[in-house]
Amino acid sequence: MTEERFTYLISADDVKGGSFVNYNVTDDLIADAIRIAQDTYLRDVIGCNLLMSVKGKVYRNITSGEAIEEKYLTLIDDYIVPYLVAEAQVQICEPLALKLRNVGVTSTDDTNIRTADIEAVKRLENSLKTFAVDKVNRLIDFLNANEFEELQGCKCHKLNKKANIGLWLK
């Protein structure tokens, strides 16, 4: 069970291949975004029990070839993976633009490119969040339309709340 806790449901290549995230973004930075998207945002939506169950099924499939039931495979492939890719994009925006250093918070800079100002980063983040909200609402609709025993009696999920995005205006 311990190893299952550290199972990622998507990879850096999934994020790079399924989004606008450039292939020169380091896998370490993407892994942090995936961890936040999965273990914070996804957990809040589907609950601890279902998340651990899904991670366990994926882990056992990878390590021993154990088949994943069709209902869970649909949940993972059609709903969880697209949401995690979208949410990882949101989580990566600010770390790509801003860095914590000894002198404080700085914006990244390079001699060959001009970095965006914080307002542009926030507009991009808001745009990506709109996309992620659509994916999470599809996930919520799927979970509400199907029975998952892990959700019975579990109060740590947000299946009764639709996600929304506030407008961020300059």
Side-chain angles (χ1 to χ4, degrees):
M1 182 70 155
T2 304
E3 295 83 12
E4 294 173 10
R5 284 189 333 196
F6 302 108
T7 301
Y8 287 128
L9 301 175
I10 62 172
S11 68
D13 286 339
D14 291 328
V15 174
K16 291 176 182 179
S19 71
F20 77 93
V21 174
N22 196 304
Y23 278 91
N24 69 354
V25 175
T26 66
D27 287 357
D28 289 345
L29 191 58
I30 295 172
D32 287 342
I34 291 169
R35 182 184 46 77
I36 292 166
Q38 176 176 297
D39 294 340
T40 302
Y41 291 96
L42 179 63
R43 184 198 63 219
D44 285 349
V45 173
I46 69 174
C48 311
N49 295 341
L50 184 54
L51 178 60
M52 289 307 294
S53 176
V54 167
K55 288 168 79 171
K57 289 174 187 306
V58 169
Y59 178 80
R60 288 188 299 279
N61 178 264
I62 292 168
T63 58
S64 67
E66 182 180 309
I68 299 175
E69 301 162 56
E70 187 65 32
K71 174 173 69 171
Y72 288 92
L73 202 53
T74 300
L75 172 64
I76 295 164
D77 291 343
D78 296 348
Y79 298 95
I80 290 178
V81 168
Y83 170 63
L84 286 176
V85 168
E87 188 62 49
Q89 288 181 90
V90 173
Q91 297 307 313
I92 210 165
C93 276
E94 286 186 21
L96 282 176
L98 302 172
K99 300 290 179 205
L100 297 175
R101 306 198 190 259
N102 289 341
V103 295
V105 178
T106 63
S107 62
T108 57
D109 200 358
D110 188 81
T111 57
N112 298 322
I113 57 173
R114 193 177 127 258
T115 56
D117 58 24
I118 195 65
E119 289 83 16
V121 172
K122 286 295 185 187
R123 281 194 307 275
L124 173 61
E125 187 177 13
N126 191 57
S127 174
L128 294 172
K129 190 66 177 173
T130 301
F131 184 66
V133 163
D134 174 63
K135 298 296 182 194
V136 78
N137 284 334
R138 289 184 67 237
L139 171 60
I140 290 169
D141 288 344
F142 179 78
L143 290 173
N144 282 326
N146 293 275
E147 287 191 30
F148 289 88
E149 62 187 48
E150 297 88 347
L151 297 175
Q152 303 306 317
C154 179
K155 303 271 191 252
C156 63
H157 57 76
K158 297 181 178 179
L159 297 184
N160 297 324
K161 297 180 181 179
K162 285 290 200 157
N164 61 43
I165 181 77
L167 291 178
W168 187 84
L169 302 173
K170 183 176 182 216

